[in-house]
Amino acid sequence: MDWLLATPQLYSAFSSLGCLEGDTYVVNPNALAILEEINYKLTYEDQTLRTFRRAIGFGQNVRSDLIPLLENAKDD
């Protein structure tokens, strides 16, 4: 778990998707580019250790960042 704390760029990537302001979740205008970067990291991570996926799981980024993003994003 120490390696998770040593990689603040993971936290930075997910936290920059949007933020909670009061009762509403505000989606970052650059969220699509950030999601593409996350997808790139998932695609090219170590096939054996899967450290990026593990970090996402330990950090509970799906619950805290991706689900609110999907619930509040508006696709024109």
Side-chain angles (χ1 to χ4, degrees):
M1 182 86 160
D2 293 335
W3 53 269
L4 176 59
L5 299 175
T7 56
Q9 61 269 25
L10 174 75
Y11 176 75
S12 173
F14 279 94
S15 65
S16 60
L17 287 172
C19 62
L20 191 62
E21 292 182 3
D23 291 339
T24 59
Y25 187 84
V26 179
V27 178
N28 185 338
N30 297 328
L32 183 59
I34 297 165
L35 288 171
E36 288 173 352
E37 177 185 339
I38 291 169
N39 185 39
Y40 177 82
K41 289 179 182 181
L42 286 168
T43 303
Y44 293 105
E45 73 178 339
D46 185 337
Q47 297 292 320
T48 305
L49 297 176
R50 300 285 192 190
T51 54
F52 193 69
R53 292 169 201 252
R54 294 167 120 192
I56 291 171
F58 283 127
Q60 298 182 353
N61 297 101
V62 173
R63 180 182 54 81
S64 63
D65 296 308
L66 289 179
I67 292 175
L69 173 72
L70 291 173
E71 290 176 343
N72 294 289
K74 294 182 177 59
D75 186 7
D76 297 335

